[in-house]
Amino acid sequence: MVSPMDFPFDIDADPAASPSGETLAASALVVADEPGVRELFSRLFARDQDLSISTADSAETALAFVRDRRFDLLITDKNLPGMGGVELISAASKVRPTLEAIMITGFASAESVIAALAAGASDYLIKPFENLAVVRAKIRAALGRHSERARGAQAAQVIAQQATALLKQGKLVPDPIWDSLE
């Protein structure tokens, strides 16, 4: 079990400003039944003004949050009371298809990795977290994948609108437009 005393960093009461001044407004939901794990993620990203961390102590609570709010990333423990992390990722992905997900566990196995990836997780973290820089990098990579997917969906929507406009005018849609939609 992780306690706040185990964190290899201190958090100032006044978080430092983002060096670039940009606001990405990304949001992540951390689901773990261990308070220390939720606290670790909250503290690890407390200074990051471009990322908002929310936490839940159960999959059922997390799923209600996912239904009510937009999250870019779901970070969930595999073993939770009630609904497990694999089932949560699967259910949350049905509610929010573009949601990125990372599974965390203290009991890694090939079967659990395969189950997490099959449910929709894009990455896997093993507790205890030996290197918090790796944890941060994996979170940032997942948020990057989410942003790329969102940009791709927006581009596809614009192209589909152009194709629709051409069809409404009785014109043929050129092959390059169809190709880009595929």
Side-chain angles (χ1 to χ4, degrees):
M1 183 154 162
V2 179
S3 75
M5 300 306 292
D6 296 331
F7 300 149
F9 52 85
D10 292 320
I11 299 299
D12 298 331
D14 182 25
S18 171
S20 66
E22 297 175 0
T23 302
L24 181 59
S27 60
L29 176 60
V30 176
V31 186
D33 57 338
E34 295 177 62
V37 172
R38 295 190 307 270
E39 181 70 13
L40 182 137
F41 280 95
S42 294
R43 291 179 136 216
L44 186 60
F45 291 97
R47 294 183 184 181
D48 295 19
Q49 293 183 353
D50 64 341
L51 177 59
S52 170
I53 298 284
S54 299
T55 63
D57 62 359
S58 72
E60 292 80 10
T61 300
L63 196 52
F65 286 170
V66 168
R67 287 184 179 120
D68 292 341
R69 298 177 19 207
R70 179 195 62 84
F71 289 99
D72 302 307
L73 175 61
L74 172 66
I75 304 164
T76 183
D77 203 340
K78 178 182 171 282
N79 296 322
L80 296 166
M83 180 190 301
V86 172
E87 294 83 9
L88 173 59
I89 290 173
S90 180
S93 295
K94 289 176 183 157
V95 174
R96 305 271 183 207
T98 63
L99 184 67
E100 244 341 273
I102 295 176
M103 179 72 70
I104 58 176
T105 188
F107 308 101
S109 68
E111 292 82 12
S112 66
V113 171
I114 291 168
L117 295 174
S122 63
D123 211 335
Y124 204 87
L125 289 167
I126 300 171
K127 298 183 294 184
F129 307 118
E130 299 284 329
N131 185 340
L132 294 179
V134 171
V135 173
R136 285 182 63 83
K138 287 185 173 227
I139 302 301
R140 289 297 176 181
L143 291 169
R145 287 188 298 273
H146 179 269
S147 293
E148 285 297 316
R149 192 170 35 243
R151 280 193 289 276
Q154 288 172 343
Q157 184 178 18
V158 168
I159 292 168
Q161 289 169 344
Q162 291 170 346
T164 301
L166 289 171
L167 290 171
K168 284 183 179 179
Q169 295 171 7
K171 298 180 181 177
L172 292 176
V173 177
D175 285 341
I177 291 178
W178 290 119
D179 292 343
S180 61
L181 280 173
E182 288 179 358

